[in-house]
């Protein structure tokens, strides 16, 4: 069957295994580790910060197995929206999927905004005189360019993502190689006294802060789940793209973190006036291979940052589209571009929110922005989705599941615990900012919005409950090739 748009107006399955993994890894790596290594060191108070990346990898892998089972069973565009809809529609109607879309419209662009903040930080290494206003304009220009590039067919986007993935791999490997040439075990493995004393009152808040930064760095392992309706053979491709991307990025992060700590004294990373606190990878290259190499790799890091924003908005823009097509979000979001088949309004909305988040991040601090976006996504996406996995196993045992979670329910329990730790310590690690209160306020506002929407649509609780019959998942699609 040809890859032309289907007459029903649905998506086309054109993304294969390699491109799916490349999309995930591009979104996962991005600018994240290059800007969060200093944040991780500050959270732990020393080079034992590597614990944070290991803990983040464990949480990402366990949570990724939740996504793998649900995504393989229900490969519709929208990711969590589809899973929450199927798990909870019998008791609370369309409340849970509506709330997920409501929160996703905030936390997905906020994640992308951190990538743009990091982009401008590293650009400051190449242009030390870059002022606040000029940096703001550059960041807004990057967001506008990403939106323009995403206004095209998915097969073109997949090829662009593969090229950007290659640049991402090159940039991190060059930093790792440079660090290896001047690596000092004394710098990397000399920890402060009682650094890993779990009975200390300072360890667990620092661990929770590090886990938050760690999982932020791994976010993106689920990007292909948002593109489920555009993935070839999703029952096999989705789980493999998630697991392979987590394991691959984990290896890269550990080598990058340890290598960096073996070249740059960790005290420099906590000094806001030192270049190592904002452009640590550039500091590594300058220390080992000289200024010229540092400039070259910094350019590659900028491309990597751009790639993460590109792939993140690619997947995120599909979320409100699928919800609207299923009658759970505002109707205008369901329309696809008549020629290139992308969700026009979803892309435009998330582009605008990304720009707002970028400006907020530029004029506060990156750690607070990460804490806020993480707490916003915990309740409705992370925790509710783990519950949805259990609900669906019990309610629909005969559902076709091309992939079933290994060692179930242990990974789900580990993921649930990890997310609770992040949420429980969020306010303590952001004094005066109250990210938990802000996340609850946003959730409450979403409930109000749902009641207004339900009243207009005459849906539950102002209309009949969902019928108990099972339904088909996702939009009509065509297999390409």
């Amino acid at each position: 069957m040809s890859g032309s748009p289907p007459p029903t107006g649905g998506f086309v399955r054109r993304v294969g295994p390699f491109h799916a993994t490349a999309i995930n890894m591009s979104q996962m790596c991005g600018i994240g580790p290059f800007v969060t290594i200093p944040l991780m060191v500050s959270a732990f108070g020393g080079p034992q910060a590597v614990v944070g990346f290991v803990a983040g990898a464990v949480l990402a892998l366990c949570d990724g197995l939740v996504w793998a089972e649900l995504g393989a069973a229900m490969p519709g565009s929208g990711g969590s929206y589809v899973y929450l809809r199927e798990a909870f529609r019998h008791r609370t109607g369309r409340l849970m999927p509506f709330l997920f879309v409501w929160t996703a419209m905030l936390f997905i662009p906020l994640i992308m905004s951190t990538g743009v903040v990091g982009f401008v930080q590293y650009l400051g290494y190449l242009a030390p005189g870059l002022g606040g206003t000029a940096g703001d304009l550059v960041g807004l220009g990057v967001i506008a360019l990403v939106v323009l590039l995403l206004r095209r067919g998915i097969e073109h986007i997949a090829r662009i993502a593969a090229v950007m993935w290659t640049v991402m791999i090159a940039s991190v490997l060059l930093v790792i190689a440079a660090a290896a040439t001047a690596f000092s075990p004394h710098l990397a493995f000399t920890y402060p006294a009682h650094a890993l004393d779990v009975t200390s009152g300072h360890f667990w808040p620092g661990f929770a802060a590090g886990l938050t930064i760690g999982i932020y760095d791994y976010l993106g392992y689920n990007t292909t789940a948002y593109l489920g309706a555009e993935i070839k053979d999703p029952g096999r491709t989705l789980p493999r793209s998630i697991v392979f991307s987590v394991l691959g990025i984990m290896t890269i992060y550990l080598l990058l973190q340890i290598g960096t700590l073996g070249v740059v004294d960790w005290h420099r990373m906590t000094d806001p006036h030192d270049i190592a606190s904002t452009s640590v990878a550039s500091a590594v290259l300058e220390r080992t291979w000289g200024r010229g190499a540092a400039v070259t790799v910094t350019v590659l890091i900028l491309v990597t940052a751009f790639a993460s924003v590109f792939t993140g908005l690619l997947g995120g823009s599909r979320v409100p589209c699928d919800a609207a097509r299923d009658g759970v979000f505002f109707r205008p979001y369901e329309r696809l571009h008549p020629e290139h088949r992308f969700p026009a309004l979803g892309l435009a909305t998330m582009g605008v929110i990304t720009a707002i988040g970028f400006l907020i991040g530029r004029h506060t601090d990156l750690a607070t922005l990460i804490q806020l976006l993480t707490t916003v996504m915990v309740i409705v996406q992370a925790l509710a989705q783990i519950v949805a996995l259990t609900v669906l196993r019990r309610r629909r045992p005969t559902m076709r599941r091309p992939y079933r979670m290994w060692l179930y329910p242990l990974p789900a329990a580990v993921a649930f615990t990890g997310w609770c730790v992040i949420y429980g310590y969020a306010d303590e690690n952001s004094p005066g900012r109250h990210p938990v209160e802000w996340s609850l306020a946003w959730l409450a506002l979403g409930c109000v919005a749902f009641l207004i929407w339900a009243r207009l649509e005459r849906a539950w609780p102002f209309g009949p409950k969902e019928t108990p019959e099972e339904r088909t998942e996702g939009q009509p699609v065509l297999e390409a090739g």
Side-chain angles (χ1 to χ4, degrees):
M1 186 176 292
S2 68
S4 59
T8 53
F11 290 113
V12 181
R13 297 197 187 278
R14 286 174 171 158
V15 181
F18 172 75
H19 288 140
T21 304
I23 287 172
N24 278 353
M25 292 184 70
S26 296
Q27 167 59 12
M28 291 170 72
C29 187
I31 196 68
F34 298 116
V35 296
T36 58
I37 288 176
L39 298 180
M40 189 76 82
V41 169
S42 296
F44 277 89
Q48 71 275 18
V50 68
V51 172
F53 282 112
V54 174
V58 172
L59 176 54
L61 184 58
C62 290
D63 194 57
L65 295 182
V66 175
W67 283 89
E69 177 169 326
L70 294 172
M74 295 171 285
S77 175
S80 291
Y81 157 73
V82 178
Y83 321 144
L84 297 177
R85 180 193 68 194
E86 294 303 310
F88 299 114
R89 62 191 175 91
H90 301 295
R91 293 190 178 274
T92 58
R94 303 176 185 180
L95 174 63
M96 291 303 294
F98 182 95
L99 288 178
F100 165 71
V101 178
W102 177 264
T103 56
M105 294 289 284
L106 179 63
F107 73 73
I108 292 176
L110 286 182
I111 295 172
M112 299 309 102
S113 68
T114 62
V116 185
V117 170
F119 181 98
V120 175
Q121 281 187 11
Y122 268 81
L123 186 62
Y125 179 79
L126 302 179
L130 188 68
T133 300
D136 291 347
L137 292 175
V138 168
L140 294 176
V142 167
I143 296 169
L145 179 58
V146 167
V147 172
L148 287 175
L149 286 176
L150 287 173
R151 293 177 58 86
R152 58 189 62 238
I154 187 67
E155 70 278 8
H156 302 297
I157 291 173
R159 287 195 287 267
I160 293 173
V163 172
M164 291 182 178
W165 175 82
T166 303
V167 175
M168 179 271 291
I169 293 295
S171 63
V172 294
L173 289 181
L174 284 171
V175 176
I176 292 169
T181 62
F183 182 77
S184 168
H186 175 74
L187 284 177
F189 301 114
T190 301
Y191 299 164
H194 311 294
L196 300 177
D197 182 4
V198 297
T199 63
S200 168
H202 300 289
F203 178 82
W204 289 109
F207 176 83
L211 181 60
T212 303
I213 296 168
I215 193 61
Y216 159 78
D217 282 329
Y218 286 97
L219 289 178
Y221 54 86
N222 52 5
T223 300
T224 48
Y226 290 119
L227 303 171
E230 298 164 89
I231 301 294
K232 294 179 181 178
D233 190 13
R236 292 166 57 87
T237 300
L238 274 174
R240 291 182 178 185
S241 69
I242 291 171
V243 173
F244 291 166
S245 60
V246 171
L247 294 178
I249 291 296
M250 176 183 67
T251 302
I252 290 171
Y253 279 0
L254 291 178
L255 291 173
L256 186 64
Q257 168 83 1
I258 295 173
T260 299
L261 288 168
V263 173
V264 179
D265 190 314
W266 68 270
H267 293 92
R268 291 183 58 192
M269 301 184 198
T270 61
D271 181 357
H273 302 294
D274 196 303
I275 190 66
S277 67
T278 56
S279 307
V280 67
S282 302
V284 169
L285 266 297
E286 189 174 280
R287 166 75 174 77
T288 54
W289 292 350
R291 171 74 180 179
V295 168
T296 301
V297 174
T298 300
V299 172
L300 295 180
I301 291 173
L302 294 177
V303 176
T304 298
F306 185 89
S308 70
V309 179
F310 179 87
T311 53
L313 286 180
L314 164 65
S317 62
R318 268 65 178 168
V319 175
C321 175
D322 188 73
R325 289 165 71 89
D326 202 38
V328 181
F329 206 60
F330 304 106
R331 298 290 179 179
Y333 282 93
E334 69 179 328
R335 301 192 189 99
L336 298 179
H337 188 277
E339 179 181 357
H340 299 302
R341 317 308 299 167
F342 67 87
L345 185 57
L347 177 60
T349 302
M350 288 201 171
V352 170
I353 299 175
T354 300
I356 296 172
F358 161 72
L359 294 175
I360 293 173
R362 280 274 293 170
H363 298 284
T364 56
D365 62 270
L366 188 58
T368 296
L369 190 59
I370 292 173
Q371 198 76 252
L372 176 60
L373 71 88
T374 306
T375 52
V376 167
M377 66 180 285
V378 165
I379 296 179
V380 177
Q381 176 173 314
L383 297 182
Q385 183 165 287
I386 295 170
V387 174
L389 176 68
T390 302
V391 169
L392 288 170
R393 281 208 172 200
R394 292 178 179 177
R395 183 183 289 275
R396 297 174 59 176
T398 60
M399 172 188 283
R400 181 177 176 272
R401 291 176 170 86
Y403 166 80
R404 297 178 70 90
M405 177 186 287
W406 305 325
L407 302 176
Y408 175 85
L410 181 60
V414 171
F416 195 92
T417 302
W419 288 115
C420 287
V421 169
I422 288 173
Y423 199 78
Y425 282 96
D427 275 357
E428 185 172 345
N429 287 315
S430 296
R433 301 299 175 90
H434 308 293
V436 170
E437 285 80 355
W438 280 108
S439 68
L440 293 175
W442 184 254
L443 186 61
L445 187 60
C447 291
V448 173
F450 171 76
L451 291 175
I452 296 173
W453 173 88
R455 183 72 176 180
L456 294 173
E457 296 285 334
R458 297 182 180 179
W460 181 91
F462 303 104
K465 286 187 176 181
E466 296 286 309
T467 57
E469 292 80 9
E470 294 186 4
R471 52 173 296 164
T472 58
E473 291 86 4
Q475 295 93 330
V477 293
L478 286 183
E479 295 287 348

